[in-house]
Amino acid sequence: MYFLYLIPTSYFGMSLNWLIMMLVLVSVPTKYYLVESGVFLMFKSMFMGVSKVFREVSFPNYVGLNFVCVMTFMYLVLSNLLGLFPFIFTSTAHPYVTLGIGLVMWMSFFIMGWSSGFKNSAAHLVPAGSPMMLAPLMVLIESISHLIRPFTLSVRLAANMMAGHLIIGLLSSISIISLFGFSMSLMFQSLLLLLEFGVAVIQGFVFSILLLLYALEYY
C-alpha cells in the first residue's frame, strides 16, 4: 500500500503531478537560467539607441507612436539583413511589401490625425507666411505632396535594397572571365557586401524616422 503514493494522481484525465516540475521553472525568474546571446545584446542595444533617438523627436508625448516606429525599424532592419544571406529573398526589395507597410502606416496616422484634430491637420496645408491669394494653390500642392508620401517611402526603400543586389549580381558575372576577374570580383563584392550592411540599417532608420515625422504633423 505504501507504493500507491508513487502513482501519479489524475484529475479530469490529466496527470497534474508532473506539472510541479514545470511550475518550479516558471516560478524562478528567467534571468537565473537564461543567458542573453551576443546577437540579442546587439539588437537590444540597437533598440535602446534607436528608441532614444525617436524619443527625442517625439518628446514629451506620443510614447505609443514612438514604440510603433521603433518596432517598424527593427522589422525592416531584420528583413534587410536577412536578404543579404544567399538563397534568401529580400522582402523589402519588392515594392508590394514596402508599399503595403508604408501605405498602411501612413493611412492609419492620416486618418487618426484628421479625425482627432481636423483644424490642426488642415492648417498644415497652407504654410505659414503664404499669401492668401495663393492659398488655394498651396492647398492643392500640399495635398499632392501628402498623398504621394507613402509611395516615395516605399519606392525609396525598395530601390535602395534592390540596387545593391543588382550591382553585386553584375559583379559576379565577371568572375568567370579569368583568374584576375575572379579576384577583382571577389574583392568588390566583399566591399559592396559591407556597404549593404550599412544600407540595410540606414534605410530602415530613414523609413521609420520619416514615418514618425509624418505622423507628428497630423497630431
Side-chain angles (χ1 to χ4, degrees):
M1 295 296 293
Y2 175 77
F3 292 100
L4 291 177
Y5 292 100
L6 300 178
I7 301 176
T9 305
S10 299
Y11 297 96
F12 304 104
M14 296 183 296
S15 181
L16 302 180
N17 297 59
W18 302 112
L19 292 179
I20 300 300
M21 300 175 63
M22 300 302 299
L23 290 177
V24 173
L25 294 177
V26 172
S27 61
V28 178
T30 56
K31 64 180 181 180
Y32 289 107
Y33 59 88
L34 290 180
V35 179
E36 296 178 347
S37 63
V39 177
F40 179 80
L41 290 175
M42 180 185 68
F43 279 103
K44 184 178 179 180
S45 60
M46 182 187 299
F47 178 86
M48 298 303 295
V50 174
S51 180
K52 182 180 179 181
V53 174
F54 283 21
R55 199 181 304 116
E56 292 177 356
V57 176
S58 60
F59 183 82
N61 300 318
Y62 312 113
V63 178
L65 184 62
N66 181 32
F67 178 77
V68 170
C69 293
V70 172
M71 294 308 298
T72 304
F73 166 79
M74 298 300 295
Y75 173 78
L76 292 176
V77 169
L78 286 175
S79 300
N80 296 342
L81 292 178
L82 287 175
L84 298 178
F85 290 92
F87 308 108
I88 296 180
F89 173 71
T90 309
S91 60
T92 50
H94 203 292
Y96 284 165
V97 177
T98 56
L99 183 60
I101 298 174
L103 189 59
V104 170
M105 299 286 288
W106 176 85
M107 185 65 71
S108 61
F109 298 150
F110 182 83
I111 295 175
M112 291 179 63
W114 279 83
S115 60
S116 61
F118 179 84
K119 185 176 181 180
N120 293 330
S121 299
H124 288 90
L125 297 179
V126 180
S130 300
M132 292 303 298
M133 296 293 295
L134 298 177
L137 181 62
M138 297 303 298
V139 170
L140 179 61
I141 295 175
E142 289 295 322
S143 299
I144 296 175
S145 66
H146 280 257
L147 292 176
I148 66 174
R149 281 178 175 179
F151 300 98
T152 56
L153 276 175
S154 306
V155 172
R156 182 189 297 110
L157 178 59
N160 281 282
M161 296 309 301
M162 190 185 301
H165 291 73
L166 289 177
I167 295 175
I168 293 177
L170 291 175
L171 287 175
S172 64
S173 61
I174 66 175
S175 60
I176 60 176
I177 298 177
S178 62
L179 182 61
F180 177 75
F182 174 79
S183 59
M184 294 299 295
S185 175
L186 182 62
M187 181 182 67
F188 283 116
Q189 286 186 73
S190 301
L191 293 176
L192 280 175
L193 185 61
L194 294 177
L195 179 63
E196 283 298 302
F197 274 101
V199 171
V201 179
I202 292 173
Q203 289 303 314
F205 179 80
V206 170
F207 189 94
S208 304
I209 196 68
L210 286 178
L211 272 181
L212 179 60
L213 293 175
Y214 293 160
L216 291 176
E217 289 188 10
Y218 302 125
Y219 288 91

